[in-house]
Amino acid sequence: MKRGWAALALLMTSCAGPQSSLDPAGVQASRIHHLWWLFVGISLFVYVAVLAVLAWGSRRRSPSPPTPVIRPDATTERKLKLTVSSAMAFSVALLFLLLFSDFLTGRALHTLSDPVAAKILVVGRQWWWEFRYDDISPSNVLTTANELHLPIGRPVQLELESRDVIHSFWVPNLHGKRDLIPGHTARIFLQADRPDTYWGQCAEYCGYQHANMRFTVTAEPEDDYQKWLVSQRADAAEPTTDQQRRGKQVFLGATCVMCHTIQGTISQAKLGPDLTHVGSRPWIGAGALTNTRANLAGWIANPQRAKPGSRMPPNPLPSENLLALVDYLESLK
Ligand code: CUA
């Protein structure tokens, strides 16, 4: 028995962390978390009650020969009827309780609304996420990839779209799942109340690299969030060394410009992630690799090795050009 409780405790502690719906960090996730515990509690109670009744019914009886019963007397029959109907009524009441609390939680999830701290367009693609922070001034609109930043304690509005197949946006610590259906815009509100970096994950099978369709959500104090906005809105940094200048020329002269944007350069294509501040991101390939020089060089040379099926083709560049390109991209903080 002791071992059972220890195993359960171990299981529950492993449920906390940056990608767990059992460790809520926002008001909506807390509501879903409460609902989850209610469902677990009631299901556990029903399970134990059924086992107890089963055990009581199958207990060993005295070995005396049974007296044949043709028909139970009126009192016994009344008692049996009452027991069965109250058990039925109780089950129905429990089911309605679950239904009703589920309905209330669903409604409560939509109560967060204006004024929102930001309106963010989320676009799911095979297999990465584009995030566009809207602004009334077009020069303040910023686009990033696989990385969300939110101010703590204030709701943000997300509009979810897909450009290819059905994906599902899920940050377990902050909210439930929401599908991204091509041709349809879904909307949710998110609020993070505890500063940290959480993992998000595509939660609908969308092809070969579905598991590598991840993103991070950094919830931070308002000041840090504003600083991040300012840094991300700026055009890409100009190269400061010869090596970086060469890297920029490699980028602009190779096929990179056919898919990517680097603000402040002529590269303005929208097929792949915006790379204006790629050097500031901790991950590349939508969570497939950490953003180190070696990983970035390997990724550019052959993305198919780390993420087979990825839409990005291999780029067989001479090694001096590849290293210069990596230097340039890493300088784009
Ligand atoms: Cu996108 Cu799974």
Side-chain angles (χ1 to χ4, degrees), residues 87-163:
M88 265 172 62
F90 189 58
S91 309
V92 171
L94 278 184
L95 287 174
F96 269 98
L97 175 69
L98 293 179
L99 183 72
F100 194 60
S101 46
D102 183 61
F103 171 75
L104 286 184
T105 305
R107 268 179 62 120
L109 290 184
H110 295 284
T111 53
L112 284 182
S113 58
D114 282 331
V116 290
K119 288 185 180 175
I120 306 165
L121 175 70
V122 176
V123 181
R125 296 166 198 259
Q126 286 172 317
W127 289 278
W128 60 282
W129 301 88
E130 181 179 299
F131 299 120
R132 202 175 73 206
Y133 287 68
D134 218 357
D135 198 280
I136 30 171
S137 157
S139 62
N140 279 344
V141 172
L142 84 87
T143 306
T144 181
N146 310 316
E147 188 186 29
L148 263 182
H149 280 242
L150 310 176
I152 50 169
R154 293 171 70 196
V156 296
Q157 177 190 309
L158 304 181
E159 295 208 332
L160 311 163
E161 291 178 4
S162 168
R163 294 282 182 269

Side-chain angles (χ1 to χ4, degrees), residues 1-81:
M1 194 62 187
K2 238 181 199 172
R3 230 182 261 172
W5 285 115
L8 187 67
L10 191 70
L11 199 72
M12 298 318 283
T13 48
S14 66
C15 292
Q19 191 173 354
S20 168
S21 42
L22 298 184
D23 183 19
V27 49
Q28 290 123 322
S30 301
R31 287 183 174 128
I32 296 172
H33 186 234
H34 290 148
L35 183 70
W36 188 83
W37 274 115
L38 182 75
F39 270 66
V40 168
I42 290 183
S43 309
L44 208 65
F45 167 75
V46 170
Y47 179 68
V48 170
V50 167
L51 283 189
V53 171
L54 197 69
W56 179 75
S58 58
R59 73 195 184 286
R60 194 185 286 270
R61 302 189 188 247
S62 58
S64 61
T67 43
V69 176
I70 310 301
R71 199 184 145 78
D73 62 85
T75 324
T76 317
E77 193 154 0
R78 206 167 345 105
K79 259 191 199 164
L80 282 173
K81 237 186 210 167

Side-chain angles (χ1 to χ4, degrees), residues 127 167 202 204-206 210 213:
W127 289 278
H167 303 278
C202 179
E204 176 80 35
Y205 182 71
C206 55
H210 155 71
M213 187 169 168

